[in-house]
Amino acid sequence: MDNRQAIGSWLSGPRAAAEDAGVDFGYRGEQLGLPEEGPGSIARPGRRIGAIAVDWALCMVIAYGLFARDNPQAMGNWALGLLLVMSVLTVGTVGCTPGKRLLGLRVVAEDGGRLGFGRVVVRSLLLCLGIPAIIWDRDGRGLHDRLARAVQVRI
C-alpha cells in the first residue's frame, strides 16, 4: 500500500482515507439521535458561519450607531459585548439569534429541549472567545456547543 493511501492526501484528508479503508463514521448527528436531513438535523457549517456573520454585522451597526462613531477599536469592543448580550437574551428565550433565525437554525439542548440559562451563558461566553467555535467534533458541533451540551439544528 502506498503511504499516501494510508495517510490520505492533503486534499481529501485522513477521514476520506479511513472511509476508503471501510470505516463507517455515520452521518453528522447520528450519535445524538438526530435525523440525517431536514428539520431537526445538524446545521451545516456554512449556515452556522453565515448566521454568526449576520449577527456580528448587526452588532457592529448597533455599536457604531449608539456607542462608538469616532473610535473603530471601541466599536469592535462594543460589538463583542452586544453579541454576548444578544446571544444570551435571544438563545435563552427563543432559541435563536436573528442571524440563526434568518438562516433557519435553532440552538437546542442535546436531548431536544431548551437550554437552561446557565448553559446559554456558558455557550455565549465561549462563543465570544472565538477559539471554541472553530474547534469542531465529528458531529460538526463547536467546542462551545459541546461544553454547553447544545446542538444547532435546522428548523
Side-chain angles (χ1 to χ4, degrees), residues 41 43 47 51 96 98-106 153-155:
S41 65
R47 281 190 180 192
C96 57
K100 288 183 191 338
R101 180 69 185 146
L102 183 67
L103 293 171
L105 304 178
R106 183 178 194 93
V153 297
R154 294 170 52 190
I155 52 175

Side-chain angles (χ1 to χ4, degrees), residues 70-147:
D70 299 332
N71 188 346
Q73 177 63 38
M75 184 173 66
N77 293 337
W78 278 107
L80 188 60
L82 288 169
L83 181 68
L84 175 66
V85 170
M86 181 180 67
S87 181
V88 168
L89 292 178
T90 58
V91 172
T93 56
V94 295
C96 57
T97 62
K100 288 183 191 338
R101 180 69 185 146
L102 183 67
L103 293 171
L105 304 178
R106 183 178 194 93
V107 179
V108 298
E110 288 176 340
D111 62 6
R114 278 178 61 173
L115 284 180
F117 181 74
R119 291 184 359 192
V120 170
V121 170
V122 166
R123 182 187 181 279
S124 299
L125 284 170
L126 290 171
L127 177 65
C128 288
L129 290 177
I131 299 297
I134 61 173
I135 301 172
W136 294 357
D137 66 4
R138 72 175 253 179
D139 288 322
R141 294 188 308 157
L143 186 58
H144 63 298
D145 282 332
R146 267 195 84 111
L147 292 175

Side-chain angles (χ1 to χ4, degrees), residues 15-88:
R15 180 179 176 131
E19 288 172 345
D20 289 344
V23 176
D24 180 24
F25 288 104
Y27 63 87
R28 292 177 187 236
E30 184 175 24
Q31 292 180 334
L32 299 169
L34 300 174
E36 186 172 0
E37 293 294 326
S41 65
I42 292 276
R44 298 283 184 221
R47 281 190 180 192
R48 293 173 58 193
I49 292 168
I52 194 71
V54 168
D55 292 336
W56 181 251
L58 179 63
C59 290
M60 289 291 281
V61 168
I62 294 170
Y64 175 78
L66 294 180
F67 302 112
R69 287 209 162 149
D70 299 332
N71 188 346
Q73 177 63 38
M75 184 173 66
N77 293 337
W78 278 107
L80 188 60
L82 288 169
L83 181 68
L84 175 66
V85 170
M86 181 180 67
S87 181
V88 168

